[in-house]
Amino acid sequence: MKSRLENSFFLALIGTGVLVLLVSCLGSYHYALNDDILIKDILSGSYTGTPDGHCIQMLYPIGVLVALLYRIARGVPWFGLLLIVAQYGACYLILERSMSMVAGIRKKLLVLTTECLVFFVFFSYWMLNLQYSMTCAFLVAAAILLFVTAKGRKDELLAILLLVLAFCIRTEMLLLLSPFVAFVGFSYWRNQDKKNGRCFFDRDNLIHYGSFLGVVAVCFLLVLGIDHLAYAGREWSEFRNLFDARTKVYDFYGIPDYEGNEAIYAELGLGEEGYRLLDNYNYFFSPKVDAGLFEKLVDYSKENLKVGYFKVPIRQGIWDYRYWHAGKSDRLILLVLAAFYVATALLGLIQKNWSLILELPMLFVVRSILWLYLILRGRYPERIVFGLLLVELSCLCYLLLRELAGCHIGETILVVICVVALIGLRPQLTSLQEDKVLRSSVNKEWQELQTYVSEHPENYYLLDIYSTVRYSETVWHADNTLKNYDYAGGWACKSPLQTDKLSKWKLTGELEKLAQAEELRFISYTARDVEWMEDWFYTQNVPIALEETDSFGQDNGDLFRVYRLQRME
């Protein structure tokens, strides 16, 4: 029994199992955002009727593999399982590799307890509410610890596989996190040279680490090449240009207000009605919207409104950075982060490891540059923030455990970190319970919408995009049959997938045909204005009246309203 307890593999398996059990007791697994739901719909075939690897947000090699699994067994939630298995698998690797860095049952158990507590207290929300950017961060964190504890080529190849998988799942997130990976590689390289008494630029070093980087680069280029070929057709190339331009406008530069900027909307042939259409994000209804139009809006924002690449002035960015880390009391994870920094610095001082004392400021500079980059760009959602924090903690974990093995106060340090983590347990459980209640209430509305459209299969529904952004969906909801609705905007709008979906109902994006389609309906919150739609069609010489045909949702049955587009002469 003692030999088993000393076995990192056995302990990590138990720790991961307990983590799965505890997290699963907190609630059911959901896709965190409607983005994740749409990716799942495309991959599973419920969007177009056939599982498709062109899921737009992830690279094609991983998309086509998941789509193939859906073709084999449509009823299995393969995309959700991919995210769940990847995240818990990453947790297992982090636990196992962390424990392998220390000796003795007590230290191993303390490492296991500390890391399980950090996972459960601060990252259980993201384990329950699956978001592919966070899954990428879990994989990168595991790859870091796998690389620095590698016992041979097999471990290094597994680390490469994790990085490639993270790259395929969320390329931008992997690139954002890559400075952390570079820092750990540099730190590990220096530490190994110190232990082995070798020169930093020793020939064997260059061959070893150079070959590792070379394999990673080749793998990245390979999957990018496959992705490029999969989207090489004219329709997909045009859509990708539109997708990139749309992202610039809606995520960073914004839609210029109509007042004071009438000239640009007149030049684009949109007018005030077109501005309102774009502001409502339902640009499906405008054949004029393409990559060129969005690029002109970006250029206008740069030249006339002086909106730069960075939206926030540097002084304001530094203030916001300080405020997020020192002025927000709900960020209890920052206490654990600070505890790791202080504990690592303390170990360096006790053992007179001056190189470690220098590495900590380097890590802090890396994380500060990444944070400031996001703040200055004006966009740092929680899923990105916690991804950064997770990978930063994995870097600190490596530095701490590297020095912990030979330190007599190592166990005390781990106990202190456990106590700090426990401070956040009760607030986190309260927050998760509140989120569970809110999500259950909000998703009831989404379920009512799903039920309504399924009960009217003769119609095809376009959904107002801002009437759908609040909702998520349980992973185990495995109805992957073709859905008779789509979004009137968003990142998949005007894609070849949407064209394919519309063709199944013999519809196109032409306004005249939409106005004459008897089966077409538009669904929006009752509280949202829809006059912009009538005004827009009128300016395009296709006058319509939105005839309310039904309403449903909530106890009073008036949350959503259903409209038919009635062509006027």
PDB file of all heavy atoms in Angstrom, residues 282 449 452-453 460-465 467-468 485-486 488 521-526 528 530 533 550 552 559-565:
ATOM      1  N   ASN A 282     -27.747  42.121 -36.928  1.00  0.00           N
ATOM      2  CA  ASN A 282     -28.502  41.213 -37.801  1.00  0.00           C
ATOM      3  C   ASN A 282     -28.201  41.496 -39.264  1.00  0.00           C
ATOM      4  O   ASN A 282     -29.102  41.763 -40.066  1.00  0.00           O
ATOM      5  CB  ASN A 282     -30.002  41.361 -37.518  1.00  0.00           C
ATOM      6  CG  ASN A 282     -30.376  40.872 -36.134  1.00  0.00           C
ATOM      7  OD1 ASN A 282     -30.007  39.776 -35.734  1.00  0.00           O
ATOM      8  ND2 ASN A 282     -31.096  41.694 -35.388  1.00  0.00           N
ATOM      9  N   LEU A 449     -37.920  28.178 -26.460  1.00  0.00           N
ATOM     10  CA  LEU A 449     -37.734  28.524 -27.871  1.00  0.00           C
ATOM     11  C   LEU A 449     -37.487  27.275 -28.708  1.00  0.00           C
ATOM     12  O   LEU A 449     -38.067  27.120 -29.796  1.00  0.00           O
ATOM     13  CB  LEU A 449     -36.574  29.508 -28.024  1.00  0.00           C
ATOM     14  CG  LEU A 449     -36.373  30.150 -29.401  1.00  0.00           C
ATOM     15  CD1 LEU A 449     -35.767  31.542 -29.251  1.00  0.00           C
ATOM     16  CD2 LEU A 449     -35.478  29.313 -30.300  1.00  0.00           C
ATOM     17  N   TYR A 452     -40.709  25.433 -29.141  1.00  0.00           N
ATOM     18  CA  TYR A 452     -41.633  26.122 -30.047  1.00  0.00           C
ATOM     19  C   TYR A 452     -41.275  25.859 -31.510  1.00  0.00           C
ATOM     20  O   TYR A 452     -42.147  25.502 -32.320  1.00  0.00           O
ATOM     21  CB  TYR A 452     -41.626  27.624 -29.770  1.00  0.00           C
ATOM     22  CG  TYR A 452     -42.557  28.384 -30.687  1.00  0.00           C
ATOM     23  CD1 TYR A 452     -43.899  28.542 -30.359  1.00  0.00           C
ATOM     24  CD2 TYR A 452     -42.091  28.935 -31.883  1.00  0.00           C
ATOM     25  CE1 TYR A 452     -44.762  29.226 -31.208  1.00  0.00           C
ATOM     26  CE2 TYR A 452     -42.951  29.621 -32.736  1.00  0.00           C
ATOM     27  CZ  TYR A 452     -44.282  29.760 -32.396  1.00  0.00           C
ATOM     28  OH  TYR A 452     -45.142  30.420 -33.241  1.00  0.00           O
ATOM     29  N   VAL A 453     -40.014  26.042 -31.875  1.00  0.00           N
ATOM     30  CA  VAL A 453     -39.642  25.877 -33.286  1.00  0.00           C
ATOM     31  C   VAL A 453     -39.761  24.413 -33.713  1.00  0.00           C
ATOM     32  O   VAL A 453     -40.098  24.130 -34.870  1.00  0.00           O
ATOM     33  CB  VAL A 453     -38.216  26.413 -33.560  1.00  0.00           C
ATOM     34  CG1 VAL A 453     -38.145  27.906 -33.282  1.00  0.00           C
ATOM     35  CG2 VAL A 453     -37.163  25.672 -32.753  1.00  0.00           C
ATOM     36  N   TYR A 460     -39.429  28.177 -41.086  1.00  0.00           N
ATOM     37  CA  TYR A 460     -37.989  28.386 -40.887  1.00  0.00           C
ATOM     38  C   TYR A 460     -37.828  29.701 -40.147  1.00  0.00           C
ATOM     39  O   TYR A 460     -38.369  30.734 -40.552  1.00  0.00           O
ATOM     40  CB  TYR A 460     -37.254  28.438 -42.226  1.00  0.00           C
ATOM     41  CG  TYR A 460     -35.750  28.545 -42.084  1.00  0.00           C
ATOM     42  CD1 TYR A 460     -34.987  27.431 -41.774  1.00  0.00           C
ATOM     43  CD2 TYR A 460     -35.101  29.768 -42.247  1.00  0.00           C
ATOM     44  CE1 TYR A 460     -33.613  27.516 -41.633  1.00  0.00           C
ATOM     45  CE2 TYR A 460     -33.727  29.868 -42.122  1.00  0.00           C
ATOM     46  CZ  TYR A 460     -32.996  28.736 -41.807  1.00  0.00           C
ATOM     47  OH  TYR A 460     -31.637  28.836 -41.658  1.00  0.00           O
ATOM     48  N   TYR A 461     -37.059  29.669 -39.057  1.00  0.00           N
ATOM     49  CA  TYR A 461     -36.975  30.818 -38.164  1.00  0.00           C
ATOM     50  C   TYR A 461     -35.586  31.446 -38.189  1.00  0.00           C
ATOM     51  O   TYR A 461     -34.569  30.753 -38.105  1.00  0.00           O
ATOM     52  CB  TYR A 461     -37.307  30.392 -36.727  1.00  0.00           C
ATOM     53  CG  TYR A 461     -38.709  29.858 -36.574  1.00  0.00           C
ATOM     54  CD1 TYR A 461     -38.986  28.500 -36.761  1.00  0.00           C
ATOM     55  CD2 TYR A 461     -39.768  30.708 -36.271  1.00  0.00           C
ATOM     56  CE1 TYR A 461     -40.273  28.007 -36.632  1.00  0.00           C
ATOM     57  CE2 TYR A 461     -41.056  30.230 -36.136  1.00  0.00           C
ATOM     58  CZ  TYR A 461     -41.302  28.879 -36.319  1.00  0.00           C
ATOM     59  OH  TYR A 461     -42.585  28.395 -36.200  1.00  0.00           O
ATOM     60  N   LEU A 462     -35.575  32.768 -38.307  1.00  0.00           N
ATOM     61  CA  LEU A 462     -34.354  33.540 -38.129  1.00  0.00           C
ATOM     62  C   LEU A 462     -34.443  34.239 -36.783  1.00  0.00           C
ATOM     63  O   LEU A 462     -35.445  34.900 -36.481  1.00  0.00           O
ATOM     64  CB  LEU A 462     -34.189  34.564 -39.255  1.00  0.00           C
ATOM     65  CG  LEU A 462     -33.769  33.977 -40.608  1.00  0.00           C
ATOM     66  CD1 LEU A 462     -33.873  35.034 -41.701  1.00  0.00           C
ATOM     67  CD2 LEU A 462     -32.350  33.431 -40.547  1.00  0.00           C
ATOM     68  N   LEU A 463     -33.398  34.091 -35.957  1.00  0.00           N
ATOM     69  CA  LEU A 463     -33.422  34.615 -34.600  1.00  0.00           C
ATOM     70  C   LEU A 463     -32.642  35.916 -34.513  1.00  0.00           C
ATOM     71  O   LEU A 463     -31.518  36.011 -35.018  1.00  0.00           O
ATOM     72  CB  LEU A 463     -32.815  33.596 -33.623  1.00  0.00           C
ATOM     73  CG  LEU A 463     -33.326  32.156 -33.691  1.00  0.00           C
ATOM     74  CD1 LEU A 463     -32.658  31.322 -32.609  1.00  0.00           C
ATOM     75  CD2 LEU A 463     -34.843  32.097 -33.572  1.00  0.00           C
ATOM     76  N   ASP A 464     -33.242  36.898 -33.872  1.00  0.00           N
ATOM     77  CA  ASP A 464     -32.537  38.136 -33.550  1.00  0.00           C
ATOM     78  C   ASP A 464     -31.328  37.768 -32.681  1.00  0.00           C
ATOM     79  O   ASP A 464     -31.475  37.120 -31.641  1.00  0.00           O
ATOM     80  CB  ASP A 464     -33.473  39.076 -32.800  1.00  0.00           C
ATOM     81  CG  ASP A 464     -32.738  40.239 -32.183  1.00  0.00           C
ATOM     82  OD1 ASP A 464     -32.020  40.948 -32.910  1.00  0.00           O
ATOM     83  OD2 ASP A 464     -32.877  40.434 -30.952  1.00  0.00           O
ATOM     84  N   ILE A 465     -30.142  38.180 -33.102  1.00  0.00           N
ATOM     85  CA  ILE A 465     -28.924  37.698 -32.465  1.00  0.00           C
ATOM     86  C   ILE A 465     -28.841  38.100 -30.992  1.00  0.00           C
ATOM     87  O   ILE A 465     -28.435  37.319 -30.127  1.00  0.00           O
ATOM     88  CB  ILE A 465     -27.674  38.170 -33.249  1.00  0.00           C
ATOM     89  CG1 ILE A 465     -26.432  37.388 -32.822  1.00  0.00           C
ATOM     90  CG2 ILE A 465     -27.465  39.660 -33.107  1.00  0.00           C
ATOM     91  CD1 ILE A 465     -26.410  35.962 -33.256  1.00  0.00           C
ATOM     92  N   SER A 467     -31.181  38.463 -28.981  1.00  0.00           N
ATOM     93  CA  SER A 467     -32.203  37.768 -28.183  1.00  0.00           C
ATOM     94  C   SER A 467     -31.758  36.349 -27.832  1.00  0.00           C
ATOM     95  O   SER A 467     -32.533  35.587 -27.251  1.00  0.00           O
ATOM     96  CB  SER A 467     -33.531  37.714 -28.948  1.00  0.00           C
ATOM     97  OG  SER A 467     -34.030  39.009 -29.193  1.00  0.00           O
ATOM     98  N   THR A 468     -30.508  35.996 -28.190  1.00  0.00           N
ATOM     99  CA  THR A 468     -30.043  34.617 -27.959  1.00  0.00           C
ATOM    100  C   THR A 468     -28.736  34.533 -27.180  1.00  0.00           C
ATOM    101  O   THR A 468     -28.297  33.426 -26.851  1.00  0.00           O
ATOM    102  CB  THR A 468     -29.837  33.892 -29.303  1.00  0.00           C
ATOM    103  OG1 THR A 468     -28.764  34.519 -30.016  1.00  0.00           O
ATOM    104  CG2 THR A 468     -31.096  33.919 -30.155  1.00  0.00           C
ATOM    105  N   TYR A 485     -33.960  26.559 -37.564  1.00  0.00           N
ATOM    106  CA  TYR A 485     -33.736  27.969 -37.247  1.00  0.00           C
ATOM    107  C   TYR A 485     -32.263  28.298 -37.434  1.00  0.00           C
ATOM    108  O   TYR A 485     -31.396  27.425 -37.472  1.00  0.00           O
ATOM    109  CB  TYR A 485     -34.191  28.303 -35.824  1.00  0.00           C
ATOM    110  CG  TYR A 485     -33.358  27.668 -34.731  1.00  0.00           C
ATOM    111  CD1 TYR A 485     -32.169  28.257 -34.292  1.00  0.00           C
ATOM    112  CD2 TYR A 485     -33.761  26.489 -34.117  1.00  0.00           C
ATOM    113  CE1 TYR A 485     -31.403  27.681 -33.296  1.00  0.00           C
ATOM    114  CE2 TYR A 485     -33.007  25.906 -33.119  1.00  0.00           C
ATOM    115  CZ  TYR A 485     -31.832  26.509 -32.707  1.00  0.00           C
ATOM    116  OH  TYR A 485     -31.079  25.931 -31.724  1.00  0.00           O
ATOM    117  N   ASP A 486     -32.002  29.590 -37.541  1.00  0.00           N
ATOM    118  CA  ASP A 486     -30.628  30.084 -37.655  1.00  0.00           C
ATOM    119  C   ASP A 486     -30.581  31.489 -37.077  1.00  0.00           C
ATOM    120  O   ASP A 486     -31.624  32.085 -36.770  1.00  0.00           O
ATOM    121  CB  ASP A 486     -30.183  30.091 -39.122  1.00  0.00           C
ATOM    122  CG  ASP A 486     -28.667  30.210 -39.273  1.00  0.00           C
ATOM    123  OD1 ASP A 486     -27.958  30.195 -38.245  1.00  0.00           O
ATOM    124  OD2 ASP A 486     -28.188  30.345 -40.414  1.00  0.00           O
ATOM    125  N   ALA A 488     -29.695  35.549 -37.293  1.00  0.00           N
ATOM    126  CA  ALA A 488     -29.699  36.588 -38.320  1.00  0.00           C
ATOM    127  C   ALA A 488     -28.420  37.433 -38.284  1.00  0.00           C
ATOM    128  O   ALA A 488     -28.342  38.476 -38.913  1.00  0.00           O
ATOM    129  CB  ALA A 488     -30.915  37.492 -38.144  1.00  0.00           C
ATOM    130  N   ARG A 521     -40.019  33.022 -40.685  1.00  0.00           N
ATOM    131  CA  ARG A 521     -40.434  33.762 -39.510  1.00  0.00           C
ATOM    132  C   ARG A 521     -39.201  34.387 -38.841  1.00  0.00           C
ATOM    133  O   ARG A 521     -38.087  33.885 -38.964  1.00  0.00           O
ATOM    134  CB  ARG A 521     -41.143  32.849 -38.498  1.00  0.00           C
ATOM    135  CG  ARG A 521     -42.392  32.176 -39.015  1.00  0.00           C
ATOM    136  CD  ARG A 521     -43.533  33.176 -39.206  1.00  0.00           C
ATOM    137  NE  ARG A 521     -44.778  32.519 -39.595  1.00  0.00           N
ATOM    138  CZ  ARG A 521     -45.120  32.234 -40.836  1.00  0.00           C
ATOM    139  NH1 ARG A 521     -44.310  32.568 -41.834  1.00  0.00           N
ATOM    140  NH2 ARG A 521     -46.268  31.643 -41.087  1.00  0.00           N
ATOM    141  N   PHE A 522     -39.444  35.485 -38.135  1.00  0.00           N
ATOM    142  CA  PHE A 522     -38.386  36.172 -37.386  1.00  0.00           C
ATOM    143  C   PHE A 522     -38.787  36.194 -35.912  1.00  0.00           C
ATOM    144  O   PHE A 522     -39.922  36.559 -35.579  1.00  0.00           O
ATOM    145  CB  PHE A 522     -38.215  37.595 -37.915  1.00  0.00           C
ATOM    146  CG  PHE A 522     -37.119  38.381 -37.238  1.00  0.00           C
ATOM    147  CD1 PHE A 522     -35.792  38.027 -37.405  1.00  0.00           C
ATOM    148  CD2 PHE A 522     -37.429  39.476 -36.429  1.00  0.00           C
ATOM    149  CE1 PHE A 522     -34.781  38.759 -36.790  1.00  0.00           C
ATOM    150  CE2 PHE A 522     -36.430  40.217 -35.812  1.00  0.00           C
ATOM    151  CZ  PHE A 522     -35.101  39.851 -35.988  1.00  0.00           C
ATOM    152  N   ILE A 523     -37.864  35.764 -35.029  1.00  0.00           N
ATOM    153  CA  ILE A 523     -38.152  35.726 -33.594  1.00  0.00           C
ATOM    154  C   ILE A 523     -37.256  36.710 -32.868  1.00  0.00           C
ATOM    155  O   ILE A 523     -36.041  36.756 -33.093  1.00  0.00           O
ATOM    156  CB  ILE A 523     -37.934  34.301 -33.017  1.00  0.00           C
ATOM    157  CG1 ILE A 523     -38.921  33.310 -33.656  1.00  0.00           C
ATOM    158  CG2 ILE A 523     -38.101  34.302 -31.509  1.00  0.00           C
ATOM    159  CD1 ILE A 523     -38.777  31.890 -33.136  1.00  0.00           C
ATOM    160  N   SER A 524     -37.863  37.485 -31.984  1.00  0.00           N
ATOM    161  CA  SER A 524     -37.123  38.479 -31.217  1.00  0.00           C
ATOM    162  C   SER A 524     -37.766  38.625 -29.840  1.00  0.00           C
ATOM    163  O   SER A 524     -38.953  38.290 -29.656  1.00  0.00           O
ATOM    164  CB  SER A 524     -37.134  39.829 -31.943  1.00  0.00           C
ATOM    165  OG  SER A 524     -36.537  40.837 -31.163  1.00  0.00           O
ATOM    166  N   TYR A 525     -36.982  39.109 -28.883  1.00  0.00           N
ATOM    167  CA  TYR A 525     -37.579  39.472 -27.602  1.00  0.00           C
ATOM    168  C   TYR A 525     -38.684  40.491 -27.826  1.00  0.00           C
ATOM    169  O   TYR A 525     -38.558  41.396 -28.675  1.00  0.00           O
ATOM    170  CB  TYR A 525     -36.540  40.112 -26.685  1.00  0.00           C
ATOM    171  CG  TYR A 525     -35.644  39.153 -25.940  1.00  0.00           C
ATOM    172  CD1 TYR A 525     -34.329  39.510 -25.650  1.00  0.00           C
ATOM    173  CD2 TYR A 525     -36.097  37.919 -25.499  1.00  0.00           C
ATOM    174  CE1 TYR A 525     -33.482  38.658 -24.959  1.00  0.00           C
ATOM    175  CE2 TYR A 525     -35.264  37.050 -24.802  1.00  0.00           C
ATOM    176  CZ  TYR A 525     -33.960  37.428 -24.539  1.00  0.00           C
ATOM    177  OH  TYR A 525     -33.129  36.583 -23.851  1.00  0.00           O
ATOM    178  N   THR A 526     -39.745  40.378 -27.060  1.00  0.00           N
ATOM    179  CA  THR A 526     -40.829  41.347 -27.136  1.00  0.00           C
ATOM    180  C   THR A 526     -40.326  42.763 -26.861  1.00  0.00           C
ATOM    181  O   THR A 526     -40.769  43.735 -27.479  1.00  0.00           O
ATOM    182  CB  THR A 526     -41.926  40.978 -26.116  1.00  0.00           C
ATOM    183  OG1 THR A 526     -42.464  39.692 -26.442  1.00  0.00           O
ATOM    184  CG2 THR A 526     -43.049  42.011 -26.116  1.00  0.00           C
ATOM    185  N   ARG A 528     -37.527  44.083 -27.569  1.00  0.00           N
ATOM    186  CA  ARG A 528     -36.586  44.646 -28.546  1.00  0.00           C
ATOM    187  C   ARG A 528     -37.318  45.259 -29.730  1.00  0.00           C
ATOM    188  O   ARG A 528     -38.290  44.711 -30.234  1.00  0.00           O
ATOM    189  CB  ARG A 528     -35.617  43.565 -29.029  1.00  0.00           C
ATOM    190  CG  ARG A 528     -34.485  43.351 -28.037  1.00  0.00           C
ATOM    191  CD  ARG A 528     -33.444  42.387 -28.547  1.00  0.00           C
ATOM    192  NE  ARG A 528     -32.846  42.728 -29.812  1.00  0.00           N
ATOM    193  CZ  ARG A 528     -31.897  43.648 -29.994  1.00  0.00           C
ATOM    194  NH1 ARG A 528     -31.449  44.337 -28.960  1.00  0.00           N
ATOM    195  NH2 ARG A 528     -31.396  43.877 -31.191  1.00  0.00           N
ATOM    196  N   VAL A 530     -38.114  46.236 -33.447  1.00  0.00           N
ATOM    197  CA  VAL A 530     -37.934  45.570 -34.741  1.00  0.00           C
ATOM    198  C   VAL A 530     -38.262  46.502 -35.904  1.00  0.00           C
ATOM    199  O   VAL A 530     -38.270  46.080 -37.066  1.00  0.00           O
ATOM    200  CB  VAL A 530     -38.781  44.282 -34.848  1.00  0.00           C
ATOM    201  CG1 VAL A 530     -38.301  43.231 -33.865  1.00  0.00           C
ATOM    202  CG2 VAL A 530     -40.268  44.590 -34.632  1.00  0.00           C
ATOM    203  N   MET A 533     -36.016  46.781 -39.003  1.00  0.00           N
ATOM    204  CA  MET A 533     -36.093  45.785 -40.066  1.00  0.00           C
ATOM    205  C   MET A 533     -37.033  46.252 -41.175  1.00  0.00           C
ATOM    206  O   MET A 533     -36.707  46.169 -42.366  1.00  0.00           O
ATOM    207  CB  MET A 533     -36.566  44.458 -39.488  1.00  0.00           C
ATOM    208  CG  MET A 533     -36.403  43.278 -40.416  1.00  0.00           C
ATOM    209  SD  MET A 533     -36.671  41.770 -39.461  1.00  0.00           S
ATOM    210  CE  MET A 533     -36.824  40.593 -40.786  1.00  0.00           C
ATOM    211  N   ASP A 550     -47.409  35.148 -33.442  1.00  0.00           N
ATOM    212  CA  ASP A 550     -47.456  34.345 -32.218  1.00  0.00           C
ATOM    213  C   ASP A 550     -46.544  34.973 -31.170  1.00  0.00           C
ATOM    214  O   ASP A 550     -45.715  35.847 -31.483  1.00  0.00           O
ATOM    215  CB  ASP A 550     -47.022  32.913 -32.513  1.00  0.00           C
ATOM    216  CG  ASP A 550     -47.647  31.900 -31.549  1.00  0.00           C
ATOM    217  OD1 ASP A 550     -48.246  32.348 -30.544  1.00  0.00           O
ATOM    218  OD2 ASP A 550     -47.527  30.693 -31.790  1.00  0.00           O
ATOM    219  N   PHE A 552     -44.606  33.638 -27.199  1.00  0.00           N
ATOM    220  CA  PHE A 552     -44.429  32.526 -26.252  1.00  0.00           C
ATOM    221  C   PHE A 552     -43.316  32.884 -25.280  1.00  0.00           C
ATOM    222  O   PHE A 552     -42.579  33.850 -25.463  1.00  0.00           O
ATOM    223  CB  PHE A 552     -44.099  31.225 -26.987  1.00  0.00           C
ATOM    224  CG  PHE A 552     -42.786  31.253 -27.730  1.00  0.00           C
ATOM    225  CD1 PHE A 552     -41.622  30.791 -27.123  1.00  0.00           C
ATOM    226  CD2 PHE A 552     -42.699  31.748 -29.027  1.00  0.00           C
ATOM    227  CE1 PHE A 552     -40.411  30.832 -27.800  1.00  0.00           C
ATOM    228  CE2 PHE A 552     -41.487  31.794 -29.705  1.00  0.00           C
ATOM    229  CZ  PHE A 552     -40.340  31.328 -29.085  1.00  0.00           C
ATOM    230  N   LEU A 559     -42.539  36.524 -23.778  1.00  0.00           N
ATOM    231  CA  LEU A 559     -41.108  36.836 -23.780  1.00  0.00           C
ATOM    232  C   LEU A 559     -40.606  37.017 -25.209  1.00  0.00           C
ATOM    233  O   LEU A 559     -39.890  37.974 -25.523  1.00  0.00           O
ATOM    234  CB  LEU A 559     -40.320  35.714 -23.096  1.00  0.00           C
ATOM    235  CG  LEU A 559     -38.799  35.864 -23.148  1.00  0.00           C
ATOM    236  CD1 LEU A 559     -38.352  37.075 -22.336  1.00  0.00           C
ATOM    237  CD2 LEU A 559     -38.112  34.600 -22.631  1.00  0.00           C
ATOM    238  N   PHE A 560     -40.972  36.074 -26.082  1.00  0.00           N
ATOM    239  CA  PHE A 560     -40.583  36.129 -27.494  1.00  0.00           C
ATOM    240  C   PHE A 560     -41.808  36.438 -28.353  1.00  0.00           C
ATOM    241  O   PHE A 560     -42.926  36.008 -28.035  1.00  0.00           O
ATOM    242  CB  PHE A 560     -40.003  34.782 -27.954  1.00  0.00           C
ATOM    243  CG  PHE A 560     -38.716  34.404 -27.303  1.00  0.00           C
ATOM    244  CD1 PHE A 560     -38.687  33.452 -26.292  1.00  0.00           C
ATOM    245  CD2 PHE A 560     -37.518  34.978 -27.698  1.00  0.00           C
ATOM    246  CE1 PHE A 560     -37.501  33.088 -25.687  1.00  0.00           C
ATOM    247  CE2 PHE A 560     -36.324  34.625 -27.105  1.00  0.00           C
ATOM    248  CZ  PHE A 560     -36.311  33.669 -26.097  1.00  0.00           C
ATOM    249  N   ARG A 561     -41.546  37.145 -29.447  1.00  0.00           N
ATOM    250  CA  ARG A 561     -42.608  37.349 -30.429  1.00  0.00           C
ATOM    251  C   ARG A 561     -42.154  36.820 -31.781  1.00  0.00           C
ATOM    252  O   ARG A 561     -40.978  36.923 -32.135  1.00  0.00           O
ATOM    253  CB  ARG A 561     -42.982  38.827 -30.524  1.00  0.00           C
ATOM    254  CG  ARG A 561     -43.732  39.305 -29.302  1.00  0.00           C
ATOM    255  CD  ARG A 561     -44.389  40.634 -29.467  1.00  0.00           C
ATOM    256  NE  ARG A 561     -45.112  40.998 -28.248  1.00  0.00           N
ATOM    257  CZ  ARG A 561     -45.753  42.142 -28.056  1.00  0.00           C
ATOM    258  NH1 ARG A 561     -45.747  43.053 -29.017  1.00  0.00           N
ATOM    259  NH2 ARG A 561     -46.375  42.381 -26.922  1.00  0.00           N
ATOM    260  N   VAL A 562     -43.100  36.270 -32.496  1.00  0.00           N
ATOM    261  CA  VAL A 562     -42.833  35.664 -33.799  1.00  0.00           C
ATOM    262  C   VAL A 562     -43.475  36.539 -34.875  1.00  0.00           C
ATOM    263  O   VAL A 562     -44.657  36.911 -34.770  1.00  0.00           O
ATOM    264  CB  VAL A 562     -43.411  34.233 -33.879  1.00  0.00           C
ATOM    265  CG1 VAL A 562     -43.026  33.578 -35.196  1.00  0.00           C
ATOM    266  CG2 VAL A 562     -42.923  33.393 -32.702  1.00  0.00           C
ATOM    267  N   TYR A 563     -42.660  36.874 -35.876  1.00  0.00           N
ATOM    268  CA  TYR A 563     -43.145  37.767 -36.932  1.00  0.00           C
ATOM    269  C   TYR A 563     -43.041  37.084 -38.299  1.00  0.00           C
ATOM    270  O   TYR A 563     -42.097  36.331 -38.554  1.00  0.00           O
ATOM    271  CB  TYR A 563     -42.314  39.060 -36.981  1.00  0.00           C
ATOM    272  CG  TYR A 563     -42.312  39.850 -35.700  1.00  0.00           C
ATOM    273  CD1 TYR A 563     -41.305  39.646 -34.751  1.00  0.00           C
ATOM    274  CD2 TYR A 563     -43.299  40.793 -35.432  1.00  0.00           C
ATOM    275  CE1 TYR A 563     -41.284  40.382 -33.571  1.00  0.00           C
ATOM    276  CE2 TYR A 563     -43.282  41.530 -34.260  1.00  0.00           C
ATOM    277  CZ  TYR A 563     -42.270  41.317 -33.325  1.00  0.00           C
ATOM    278  OH  TYR A 563     -42.251  42.040 -32.167  1.00  0.00           O
ATOM    279  N   ARG A 564     -44.006  37.389 -39.135  1.00  0.00           N
ATOM    280  CA  ARG A 564     -43.950  36.961 -40.535  1.00  0.00           C
ATOM    281  C   ARG A 564     -43.658  38.185 -41.395  1.00  0.00           C
ATOM    282  O   ARG A 564     -44.215  39.257 -41.165  1.00  0.00           O
ATOM    283  CB  ARG A 564     -45.271  36.327 -40.970  1.00  0.00           C
ATOM    284  CG  ARG A 564     -45.258  35.813 -42.409  1.00  0.00           C
ATOM    285  CD  ARG A 564     -46.530  35.035 -42.713  1.00  0.00           C
ATOM    286  NE  ARG A 564     -47.668  35.917 -42.870  1.00  0.00           N
ATOM    287  CZ  ARG A 564     -48.044  36.492 -44.017  1.00  0.00           C
ATOM    288  NH1 ARG A 564     -47.339  36.276 -45.123  1.00  0.00           N
ATOM    289  NH2 ARG A 564     -49.100  37.267 -44.067  1.00  0.00           N
ATOM    290  N   LEU A 565     -42.767  37.991 -42.375  1.00  0.00           N
ATOM    291  CA  LEU A 565     -42.437  39.088 -43.282  1.00  0.00           C
ATOM    292  C   LEU A 565     -43.507  39.145 -44.373  1.00  0.00           C
ATOM    293  O   LEU A 565     -43.634  38.235 -45.188  1.00  0.00           O
ATOM    294  CB  LEU A 565     -41.071  38.879 -43.930  1.00  0.00           C
ATOM    295  CG  LEU A 565     -39.837  39.212 -43.088  1.00  0.00           C
ATOM    296  CD1 LEU A 565     -39.704  38.303 -41.876  1.00  0.00           C
ATOM    297  CD2 LEU A 565     -38.575  39.125 -43.943  1.00  0.00           C
TER     298      LEU A 565
END
